[in-house]
Each structure stands twice: as structure tokens, then as C-alpha cells.
Amino acid sequence: MPNFQFDEYGAQDIDRTYAGPDIAAQREYVLSLLGLRPGERVLDIGSGPGYLAVSMAQAVGPTGAVHGMDPSPAMNAIARARGADIPWLRIDDGDALALPYSDDTFDVAVSTQVYEYVADMPRALGELRRVLRPGGRALILDTDWDTLVWHTADRELHQRVIKAWEEHLVHPRLPRTLAGLLRRAGFTVTGQGVHVLFNPELTEDSFSASSMKTIAEFVPGRQGLSEADVAAWLADLRARNDEGDWFYSVNRYVFMATAP
Ligand SMILES: C[S@@+](CC[C@H](N)C(=O)[O-])C[C@H]1O[C@@H](n2cnc3c(N)ncnc32)[C@H](O)[C@@H]1O
């Protein structure tokens, strides 16, 4: 079971991290692939802090509509505040496994960094297909945590930390199965791509800086890790940075598909 809590604290953490340049670049990549047109009806499944939903609402304009949807009240409060001045953007309560919309409602549906938390993917993709109109476009983005390259001196400790971190979601390696899952759900896969989060330097607003903090808070007590182990992991990373050897890279994969 996923253990990351999208409560008020977790939501604020993601809100801060996703304001940074790495995730802003990811959103630009997603928006360029989507090619939204004025008037389109768009669903954002697991819209979280709402940055992407707001950008998509700006792209479709007042003749279109964007529905963000998320089960987390804390996330939805942040997203509603972010989109408060856009009347054609709504943030709904709901779950990827039971989308609160009628069949054939949307031209486009996106879900970024969400399905890795959803255990029953065939059911989730069945719901995605149901709410898209025939020929409607889907875009899914998720991380494969096997692609994480993060320079540390103590590789054994680092591997334990990352193994413990993988407990924060149900599918740490979802992307490699996504094209097949989409095809089996009846979609035609029209494109696949990769967005690399690459930090060759540690800056305060980088994704790796946030990750360090989030992981250090999450892993104590998991995989036998003590607070002292986690302090040693953090000290190792800081020493790499002090020596000018910071290196962080992880891949997020994108899948585009059309509904039958
Ligand atoms: C890492 S955040 C990503 C937020 C947003 N999609 C983005 O990229 O900015 C993951 C989000 O997935 C949501 N989530 C988790 N389980 C979900 C489910 N079963 N259905 C829909 N959303 C879910 C969480 O509440 C959280 O807002």
C-alpha cells in the first residue's frame, strides 16, 4: 500500500516542490505534447496543487473547460485557490478508480505522477477510457525509480534509503508497463517520450533539494533505517555537493494514446 500522505503537510511539500524550475519544465513539455486547442474539454486526474490544470485552462480559454480532480482535500484546497479567478476551471473531489463524470465527457485527459499510486491500473484505465469521447486523447506521465542516478560515497546505504523510499508508492516502475496496459485497455498508443529531471548542481529550488528533504522525513523506521542512518545519508550527499560532485538524475516517461 502507498504510504505517502497527501495530507496538509504533504500537499504543501508538493506545492513548493512543483513550483520549482524542474517541474515547471516538465509541465511545459506536457503542454507542448498536448497541443490543446481553444474550446476543448480537459480532465486532469489527480490534479494535486493545480499548476498544470491552471495552464491547461489558459490554453483552452473560456469556450473550453478544465476539470481538475483529486481525492485529497488538502490538495484540492490549494488547487481551488490557485484557479479561483478562472471560471471555466473546476476542481472536483474524486478518485481515479471511480471518475465522477459521465461517459464520453472529455476531449483530453491527463494524469501526471498519479497512476504510480493507484494499485488497480486496468480499472483506472477503464475509467479513463469511459470518460473520454471516441478519439479523445490521453496523456500519462510517471517515474521509473530504477532510473535514479544520485551520486553518494556509501552506495549500500543509499540503496537501502531508496528501497525504503519506494514504499511511498505502489508502482515504482510503472512506465515500462504503461504502453501495454493502455493497449489492453483498448487505447491506441500514439507516442512515448521521456523527460529527464537532471540536477548537475544542488540549488535550493531544485527537485533534488526537495527530494532530499522529503525522503529523509519518510524513510526512518523503514528497511531497518535509523535516524542516524538517515543523518549519515544526508551528510554523504552534502559532502558530495561540498566537493563539487553533485549529480542527480531521474526519468519520467510520457505516454500519449487515443480512445477507441
Ligand atoms: C505527486 S502528486 C501529482 C499532482 C499533479 N498531477 C502534478 O503533476 O502536479 C500525486 C497526486 O495524486 C493524487 N492521488 C493519489 N491517489 C489517487 C487516486 N487514487 N486517484 C486520483 N488521484 C490520486 C494525490 O492526492 C496527489 O495529489
Side-chain angles (χ1 to χ4, degrees), residues 128-144:
L128 175 68
R129 176 179 164 177
R130 182 183 65 74
V131 301
L132 276 173
R133 67 163 171 78
R137 326 198 282 290
L139 183 151
I140 299 173
L141 175 144
D142 281 286
T143 304
D144 187 322

Side-chain angles (χ1 to χ4, degrees), residues 4 8 22 32 53 78 83-84 101 116 120 124 145 158 160 163 166 181 189 207 215 217:
F4 192 85
E8 202 165 327
D22 295 310
S32 73
I78 292 172
Y101 307 103
E116 54 198 48
D120 188 346
W145 284 99
H158 180 65
R160 279 170 63 210
K163 199 164 169 42
E166 287 186 0
L181 283 164
V189 176
F207 186 76
I215 292 172
E217 287 171 358

Side-chain angles (χ1 to χ4, degrees), residues 37-206:
R37 297 183 284 270
E40 287 194 304
R41 293 180 58 81
V42 182
L43 172 63
D44 186 355
I45 299 167
S47 44
Y51 293 104
L52 181 63
V54 165
S55 297
M56 294 194 298
Q58 286 158 351
V60 301
T63 59
V66 173
H67 287 252
M69 189 223 72
D70 203 287
S72 159
M75 285 294 196
N76 286 344
I78 292 172
R80 284 183 187 122
R82 179 151 289 120
D85 58 352
I86 309 178
W88 58 97
L89 168 63
R90 280 189 48 170
I91 304 294
D92 302 318
D93 301 320
D95 194 289
L97 293 173
L99 297 174
Y101 307 103
S102 311
D103 298 0
D104 303 343
T105 302
F106 296 100
D107 302 302
V108 177
V110 306
S111 194
T112 62
Q113 287 294 117
V114 174
Y115 284 139
E116 54 198 48
Y117 299 98
V118 178
D120 188 346
M121 278 303 293
R123 181 168 158 194
L125 294 183
E127 279 295 274
L128 175 68
R129 176 179 164 177
R130 182 183 65 74
V131 301
L132 276 173
R133 67 163 171 78
R137 326 198 282 290
L139 183 151
I140 299 173
L141 175 144
D142 281 286
T143 304
D144 187 322
W145 284 99
D146 271 1
T147 66
L148 177 66
V149 180
W150 204 346
H151 181 41
T152 55
D154 187 340
R155 285 167 52 80
E156 188 273 330
L157 173 61
H158 180 65
Q159 278 159 9
R160 279 170 63 210
V161 169
I162 297 308
K163 199 164 169 42
W165 171 237
E166 287 186 0
E167 292 179 16
H168 86 285
L169 35 65
V170 279
H171 302 295
R173 284 162 275 283
L174 181 63
R176 61 189 72 179
T177 65
L178 262 172
L181 283 164
L182 279 161
R183 288 187 194 108
R184 284 190 285 282
F187 287 90
T188 301
V189 176
T190 56
Q192 302 184 45
V194 61
H195 178 73
V196 183
L197 299 183
F198 180 42
N199 296 157
E201 285 169 16
L202 177 62
T203 56
E204 215 175 299
D205 59 357
S206 65

